[in-house]
Amino acid sequence: MVRTTILGAGLLLLGSVSLVSAPLASETSDTNSGIDPQADRQALRDFYTQRFPDVPLEEHKNGVYAFDEGAREQWLEMEDFPPYEIAVDDGAELYETPFADGKGYPDCFGDGAVKGRYPHYDEVRSEVVTLEMAINDCRADHGEAPLAYDGAEITRLTAYMAYVSRGQIIDVALPEGEGPLAAYEAGKRFYSTRRGQLNFACSSCHVQLAGNRLRAERLSASLGQVTHWPVYRFKWQDVGSLHLRFNECNSQVGAEPFPPQSEEYRNLEYFLSYMSNGLALNGPASRK
Amino acid sequence: MRTALPALLLIALAACTKSEVPADPAEQARAAVAEAEAHYQASWEAGHAWRATKALIDDARAALELGDYETAASSADRATAMAEASLAQAEAESTAWRDRFPFSS
């Protein structure tokens, strides 16, 4: 308790010296709102290039293993017998199992290699749609009950779909109009807002302190944080979703987390994915 | 973000009822818990609920159940104070976040 309080106070100080970099001119720049996603993305990339001069930006898709040599060795050994393999196999089976109406996931998603299309802003629904939502939409279209977003079944399906989508390049679009920009801005705001009793923002740990040690762990960069989900974590003894990780990162600073697939977390995923544009999908992955 | 207005009204209401202090310790404890709950609800609606606030309210409710009104009231008061701190965080962060992103090294 005492230790965490000291950390929090330290970050409070850190927080007060943040600087705003000059916005760059760009296509997506929105002069009315002052929201400039392309400039944000460039600034973040520049930040990590300076923070990790020896790490190619693309390498951040491997999280802390991009720069933590010791942990990387262990992780590479682990990847020889990937702990998420069973989930991928189970997911393949679920994917091929027909619904009651005789149709199935392939009727919605073809061979399943569609992860690169999500998340995206859906103009008709006026919200960010994730792969998990699309899976439940597919089920609804065929008269099936929705899967629980924190359940084992949906995570196995996404493990399989992530696996067959490996190598696709993240290319989140920000279509014209206020809706997509507002969703982007909400995600960016969430990422930069201090929460919880410890008074940390996502960015406190994953931007300002990225590369530093927090207790036993090094802190990963925001860039690449969305490329590899779901993740098999030894702590979870299972595969878990990106939103479960959001939940844990909110909880560990004492903030009440939001539900999986809540508007807050979907907008956050949209923002983070836009930041990772240009990186290759490499899920599922394993982490401590 | 969601509006915190209805919950703030609830708090104002809770504050009003508090001025006519009930003498009965059970009533007092119940009022303290209700006030803490309204504050917690407001912090949730502002997107800044803290888990420790919720834990204190759970403690207060459990104590109330056991007839330990003193513990119930004190846990509830601490929860209220904590929820106020989280609402202050929400207020400060409503503008402060803008200066944080993007970062420079």
Side-chain angles (χ1 to χ4, degrees):
Chain A
M1 190 63 211
V2 174
R3 215 171 60 190
T4 46
T5 316
I6 292 171
L7 235 171
L11 277 177
L12 263 174
L13 289 175
L14 248 173
S16 57
V17 291
S18 60
L19 301 166
V20 189
S21 70
L24 312 167
S26 71
E27 294 153 19
T28 43
S29 106
D30 183 323
T31 39
N32 292 328
S33 60
I35 305 172
D36 191 344
Q38 205 152 304
D40 289 349
R41 178 171 166 274
Q42 192 54 51
L44 195 68
R45 291 170 67 89
D46 292 347
F47 175 88
Y48 290 122
T49 302
Q50 280 183 33
R51 171 67 57 93
F52 303 103
D54 302 328
V55 179
L57 287 175
E58 172 74 20
E59 193 49 38
H60 287 295
K61 66 180 193 276
N62 293 322
V64 293
Y65 310 123
F67 49 77
D68 188 336
E69 298 290 334
R72 188 183 173 92
E73 294 277 298
Q74 286 178 358
W75 171 70
L76 286 174
E77 271 169 36
M78 202 154 74
E79 287 281 316
D80 286 341
F81 302 98
Y84 46 77
E85 210 160 47
I86 299 170
V88 171
D89 290 346
D90 290 351
E93 207 172 305
L94 288 165
Y95 193 83
E96 299 299 340
T97 306
F99 300 141
D101 71 354
K103 304 280 187 192
Y105 295 113
D107 293 289
C108 301
F109 305 113
D111 62 1
V114 296
K115 175 111 172 119
R117 291 191 216 151
Y118 302 91
H120 64 249
Y121 190 87
D122 186 310
E123 298 281 358
V124 177
R125 296 159 71 151
S126 302
E127 62 178 338
V128 171
V129 172
T130 59
L131 178 59
E132 284 85 349
M133 275 171 89
I135 287 173
N136 270 346
D137 287 348
C138 172
R139 294 179 62 85
D141 288 346
H142 295 284
E144 296 286 323
L147 298 175
Y149 285 130
D150 51 3
E153 195 168 332
I154 203 160
T155 324
R156 274 154 186 72
L157 281 164
T158 55
Y160 170 69
M161 293 169 86
Y163 185 75
V164 293
S165 304
R166 277 185 175 181
Q168 289 176 2
I169 305 297
I170 300 180
D171 184 18
V172 172
L174 270 168
E176 291 280 308
E178 278 173 28
L181 262 192
Y184 168 89
E185 187 76 348
K188 172 176 154 180
R189 175 175 177 170
F190 195 102
Y191 205 73
S192 317
T193 294
R194 290 173 180 272
R195 284 194 162 74
Q197 213 175 350
L198 295 190
N199 203 36
F200 277 57
C202 309
S203 55
S204 312
C205 281
H206 294 296
V207 182
Q208 280 180 296
L209 290 173
N212 290 290
R213 216 168 266 285
L214 183 77
R215 299 188 198 99
E217 288 179 294
R218 301 279 296 271
L219 290 159
S220 58
S222 314
L223 210 70
Q225 272 186 338
V226 297
T227 59
H228 52 275
W229 297 87
V231 157
Y232 184 98
R233 274 187 75 199
F234 285 87
K235 184 178 170 188
W236 295 335
Q237 290 289 306
D238 200 358
V239 282
S241 68
L242 175 63
H243 291 199
L244 182 62
R245 182 73 237 199
F246 290 169
N247 174 309
E248 194 169 315
C249 279
N250 270 156
S251 301
Q252 70 180 345
V253 298
E256 203 65 75
F258 294 82
Q261 302 303 322
S262 56
E263 188 182 7
E264 285 84 355
Y265 282 176
R266 280 183 288 119
N267 288 339
L268 180 58
E269 181 177 340
Y270 188 55
F271 162 72
L272 277 178
S273 301
Y274 184 86
M275 290 295 113
S276 283
N277 268 355
L279 300 189
L281 291 175
N282 60 336
S286 56
R287 296 284 188 268
K288 265 195 292 188
Chain B
M1 283 284 140
R2 307 184 189 94
T3 166
L5 199 59
L8 285 173
L9 284 174
L10 268 178
I11 289 175
L13 268 173
C16 291
T17 49
K18 201 187 169 193
S19 56
E20 28 189 283
V21 180
D24 179 8
E27 281 305 304
Q28 265 172 338
R30 263 190 278 278
V33 171
E35 189 182 351
E37 282 168 345
H39 273 78
Y40 178 75
Q41 182 61 24
S43 71
W44 171 256
E45 280 169 25
H48 280 257
W50 292 359
R51 297 191 322 144
T53 314
K54 181 82 181 345
L56 280 168
I57 291 175
D58 289 345
D59 288 350
R61 281 204 199 108
L64 203 59
E65 200 85 346
L66 293 171
D68 181 356
Y69 302 121
E70 204 175 314
T71 306
S74 84
S75 294
D77 288 347
R78 281 164 62 208
T80 297
M82 197 168 268
E84 273 168 1
S86 70
L87 281 166
Q89 181 187 56
E91 178 66 31
E93 288 301 301
S94 68
T95 50
W97 74 272
R98 287 191 179 281
D99 299 332
R100 286 196 198 112
F101 195 97
F103 292 88
S104 323
S105 21

